[in-house]
Every structure is written in structure tokens, then in C-alpha cells.
Amino acid sequence: LVARLIAAASTSFSRDPPLPPGRVMKMAAGDGLTAGDLGGARRVALVEGSADGACDETNSSSSSSGGSTKVSRRQMVVNVIAGGLGTGMFSLPWSMAGASVLPGVAMAVGVVALNAWTIMILVEAAETKQVFDLGGLLGLLPGRLLPGRLGQRLPSLGAVMQAFTNLMVWVVLMGSLVSYLIVMHDSAQPFVRHTFLANGRAPLVTVAAAVVLPLCFLDQRYLSGTSAVAFLVNVYLIGILFGLFVQKASGDELPADVCYLGIGKGSVAMLAALAQCVIIQMCVLPMYEELEDRTPKRFNQALWTAFGVLALTFSGFASLGYLTFGAEAISRTQGNVLLNLPENAFANAAQIGTIAVVAAIYPIMVIPMVAPIKNMRPTDPAVNRWRKLLVAGAVVVIVGISYVGALLIPDLRVVNVIDGALCVGAFTALAPGLVGLFLLERPSRRWRFLMCILLIFGLANAALGIVFNENYKDELAANCAVAGRQARAV
């Protein structure tokens, strides 16, 4: 039964008629609709072919004549940077409170470099096979899931991986939607303290869900420019943190409960939180397909430039937030640094901007989740008769699930860490590892050994991230080699 369900899941969206190889959601060439939650838009893509319709609705990758708009290398750099700026970044100061400053910065650089390497594995395989979506690429994996007669009864390895990746994309996107409602709730709190909306989580989360639900039915062209605004809001937040840090440093008011060098279990949460920000593997192949004069070398140059900027951004944002507010204060705010901002005009502007941007990005993330229903069996009159109702029902169910998730999970840190851990296992380790083993013609033992290490490391970190989803600041304080007071004394 399980085998038949997997086989059905891997083929159900590609029936009637068959879809072309480049059938995933083409990411925006000019408007920044990337998958960073948004990270991410931390990651707006379906790896099955049925998301093409969603792209057409956002008018993001097709010109008015129906042709595909190519992206320059400079535009690609901007798109990848925008893909890494989202709600996942708000938990980085909290996660650094369990990892300490220097190891946290090193982990930011390491996670960015690891993901750049695994992305290029996928890109090289996509160029070799001329298949530019992750699901289609994984569908080419040879062999059976298990050896022997049992393996012959089960679907192929490629079919299983394609279905599994589709499922994981949906799960990760749902985690992002939950985080958006949490952020909207948290950012609105300073403005509703003395009203009925401050009576528990339910009123404010209900308002947030009521705001995003009708937006999901708007023509998405009205929302397609929100990534540029999101980028500006993130830059503005970094500026506020820098100003607060300078103000406290000049007045010798920086908190003492910070650690510059230490070791603890909180490093696991830091890795997962960083992964939530930077993993774009699920949408990178359609982005690569749209690159002007496309070659893996050109894309590699753009990728490393963008990821270099993101490494600096993540390191700076996490360090500034942690050093400005301290471990105790940053840990009392559910892993959302926005709740640590003072109540003044500048901070209030940041909160309002965050609410507006997140509310506008929410419907964009819903697009690929309902795209299979929009595109299934387009020539079937019975399905066409009920299609709009089915899509509307799916949107209501998705918003309802994220609403319940935001009610039950008040902590942004939990969502970001677990979502990031799942991303590490599925998109940093499993997909690139199997593609590197079976689809790249590199028979050397050293390469195969590296792919095995990648699989083991990534899957182990995914499991650890799910289990150890706190920052364990007290353990770090007990094992801190260079604390805040010591560093200032030096």
C-alpha cells in the first residue's frame, strides 16, 4: 500500500498531458521572487511540474509574448541575496546566544559555503542532463529503492525521491507560513497592548490570518514586487541594530552576559537556523535555467558573490543582535529579535514594515502549494467544473493549518530551527548527495567518499536539530572561554 501511494504521488501531477522538462515554477527573473523564506523567501517552488501556472500568475518569468526573460549575472546576484533575507534571520541572534560569537560567525561562513557547494552539484547535473527542476532531476536517479524481489515491487529510487522531495517542499513552505503569522503577531504587539487584541494569542493571530486570507485570492501581480521591499526592510533593521549597538557601546551599557568563544549544544540550533536562511536548493535550478549565457561557471561566480554578501549579513545581524541585547534578554523573546527593539518611531516603522511585507509575501508562498490543483487534468471537464472551488478550499485549508500552527507554537525559534533542520536533511544532504553519487560521472573513490560524508553529516545534523532545538545559553555560559567582561577588560 505504501509503495503504491508513493508511486501515485510521484506521478499524479504529471498526468494529462505530460509536462516538459523545465516544468517547475520558474523563479522571478527581475522581481526577486526567490525561495528565501522566504528563508527564507528561505523557498517558493514546487519540484513537480505543476507549478508553472503559478509563475504565469505572478508574471515573473515570462514576457508578454510568452517568451522567457533571461537574467543577467548581476540580477542573479540580487535575486539570490533577496532569497536569503526573511523571517529566518530574526532568530539568528537567539541562536548565537547558544553558540557564542566567534563560532557563530565561523558557522555562518561554513553553512553558506557548504550550501554553495551542494547547489553547484545540482547545477552541474542539471546542465549535463538538461533538466532544470529538482524533482525532474531526482526522477532520473537509477536503480531500485531496495535490492531483490522486494525492490522490484517497490517504485524506483527516482520516483520515491521525487515524491519525497515534493512532500518536503510542501512541509517547509507550511513552516514558513506559520512563521509569517508568528512574526505578524509579534510585530503588532506593541500597537495593541491596551486593547482586546492583547488578550492572549488568539485575537491577534486571528486578525493576521484574516488579513492574509483575502490576499491569497488577489491577482498576484499586485504582490510581485514585495521582495524588493523586503530587502529594504531587512537593511533598515540591520541599520537599527547597528545604531542601538553604537549607542549602548558609547554609554558602556552593553550587556555582560555574552560569550565570544565557547562551546555547547546550542551550536546545533545555530546550524539549523542558518540553514533556514540560506537553503535555496529547491528553486535554484529554474533560476539557473534563466541565467543569460548560462554555464555552471557563470552561475558559480554569481552564487559565491551573493553568498558572500549573505555570510556577512547573517554574521553581522546575529552578532549585533546578540551583543546589543545579551543572552538573557534575547532568549526571553521567543527567538524573535524584533521583540527586543525599543518602542520608538524608528523601531515602530520597522515593525510596521515587517507586518506589511510578511502579509504580502504570504500569498506568494501559497501559490506553489495550490498549483497542483490548478494544473491537474486540464482537459477533464469534471475537474474544470470544480477547479475554482477546489483551489479556494485548498487555500482556506492551508491558511487554517498555518493559523493553528501559529496558535500552538508561540516561539519563532522552534519553527525556524525545525524547518531549518528538515531543509538540511532533504535539500543540503539527501538530494545533492544522491545526485552526486548517481548522476555526475565522477567515479573516483574520493568523490564517492565525499558524497557519503555529505549524506551522513547532513542527515545527522537534521536529526540533531530536531532534538536539540533550544539555544542552551546556560550551558554555554558554563563553558565560555572568553566572556563579555573578559573581552572588554582585554
Side-chain angles (χ1 to χ4, degrees), residues 283-371:
C283 71
V284 74
L285 298 185
M287 295 171 67
Y288 168 68
E289 185 184 14
E290 299 301 325
L291 179 62
E292 189 177 48
D293 299 325
R294 182 186 72 234
T295 63
K297 182 178 179 180
R298 281 177 59 82
F299 185 80
N300 188 49
Q301 293 170 346
L303 181 69
W304 279 100
T305 300
F307 271 24
V309 173
L310 287 177
L312 291 174
T313 302
F314 296 154
S315 301
F317 189 85
S319 301
L320 284 173
Y322 176 43
L323 295 175
T324 301
F325 301 115
E328 188 63 34
I330 209 83
S331 298
R332 286 198 301 262
T333 54
Q334 295 88 39
N336 185 356
V337 72
L338 297 180
L339 295 177
N340 294 100
L341 297 179
E343 293 190 23
N344 56 41
F346 296 105
N348 289 343
Q351 303 281 20
I352 293 172
T354 300
I355 294 171
V357 168
V358 167
I361 290 176
Y362 186 105
I364 297 174
M365 302 292 282
V366 172
I367 293 172
M369 300 178 76
V370 300

Side-chain angles (χ1 to χ4, degrees), residues 52-60 218-221 367 374:
D52 268 339
C55 173
D56 293 338
E57 289 182 17
T58 60
N59 194 27
S60 59
L218 285 179
D219 188 328
Q220 302 304 317
R221 287 176 295 180
I367 293 172
K374 287 185 176 182

Side-chain angles (χ1 to χ4, degrees), residues 38 44 61 73 112 115 120 143 151 170 262 270 286 291 312 351 413 424 426 449 451 490:
L38 306 149
V44 185
S61 65
R73 188 164 58 184
V112 167
N115 279 278
M120 289 311 302
W170 202 91
M270 182 79 186
L291 179 62
L312 291 174
Q351 303 281 20
R413 59 191 178 187
V424 170
F449 176 75
M451 292 300 99
V490 173

Side-chain angles (χ1 to χ4, degrees), residues 6-320:
I6 292 173
S10 65
T11 58
S12 59
F13 298 150
S14 60
R15 296 174 183 165
D16 214 11
L19 296 167
R23 60 191 185 274
V24 184
M25 181 179 188
K26 305 270 195 299
M27 300 315 296
D31 62 11
L33 292 184
T34 63
D37 168 280
L38 306 149
R42 273 156 12 227
R43 301 151 213 8
V44 185
L46 265 190
V47 289
E48 186 62 26
S50 50
D52 268 339
C55 173
D56 293 338
E57 289 182 17
T58 60
N59 194 27
S60 59
S61 65
S62 299
S63 65
S64 58
S65 61
S68 178
T69 304
K70 292 298 181 181
V71 183
S72 69
R73 188 164 58 184
R74 181 178 299 177
Q75 290 172 321
M76 184 64 68
V77 171
V78 174
N79 285 349
V80 174
I81 292 173
L85 300 177
T87 58
M89 198 169 73
F90 299 157
S91 295
L92 291 182
W94 166 84
S95 61
M96 182 170 276
S100 74
V101 176
L102 296 180
V105 171
M107 280 187 279
V109 175
V111 168
V112 167
L114 175 63
N115 279 278
W117 177 54
T118 58
I119 284 172
M120 289 311 302
I121 292 174
L122 298 176
V123 166
E124 290 182 21
E127 183 65 32
T128 301
K129 304 297 182 182
Q130 290 296 294
V131 176
F132 300 102
D133 68 88
L134 186 56
L137 189 64
L138 291 170
L140 300 178
L141 291 172
R144 293 286 174 181
L145 185 63
L146 294 173
R149 296 180 62 182
L150 179 60
Q152 294 177 357
R153 296 181 180 181
L154 295 174
S156 66
L157 176 62
V160 172
M161 280 304 303
Q162 190 169 16
F164 173 75
T165 308
N166 289 337
L167 174 64
M168 289 306 301
V169 169
W170 202 91
V171 170
V172 168
L173 288 176
M174 181 56 71
S176 295
L177 297 183
V178 172
S179 74
Y180 292 161
L181 294 184
I182 293 174
V183 167
M184 291 177 70
H185 169 275
D186 293 349
S187 295
Q189 278 186 319
F191 307 104
V192 299
R193 281 218 174 96
H194 304 294
T195 69
F196 74 96
L197 293 174
N199 297 326
R201 291 186 60 80
L204 208 49
V205 174
T206 301
V207 170
V211 168
V212 298
L213 179 59
L215 294 178
C216 294
F217 296 99
L218 285 179
D219 188 328
Q220 302 304 317
R221 287 176 295 180
Y222 297 118
L223 304 173
S224 61
T226 53
S227 288
V229 181
F231 177 80
L232 294 177
V233 169
N234 278 278
V235 172
Y236 181 69
L237 282 172
I238 294 173
I240 288 180
L241 286 180
F242 181 76
L244 289 172
F245 175 79
V246 172
Q247 179 182 355
K248 288 191 174 185
S250 60
D252 197 22
E253 298 175 352
L254 289 175
D257 60 336
V258 297
C259 179
Y260 288 88
L261 181 61
I263 187 171
K265 292 196 294 287
S267 299
V268 176
M270 182 79 186
L271 288 172
L274 285 165
Q276 165 70 358
C277 296
V278 77
I279 288 179
I280 59 171
Q281 278 84 335
M282 63 281 282
C283 71
V284 74
L285 298 185
M287 295 171 67
Y288 168 68
E289 185 184 14
E290 299 301 325
L291 179 62
E292 189 177 48
D293 299 325
R294 182 186 72 234
T295 63
K297 182 178 179 180
R298 281 177 59 82
F299 185 80
N300 188 49
Q301 293 170 346
L303 181 69
W304 279 100
T305 300
F307 271 24
V309 173
L310 287 177
L312 291 174
T313 302
F314 296 154
S315 301
F317 189 85
S319 301
L320 284 173

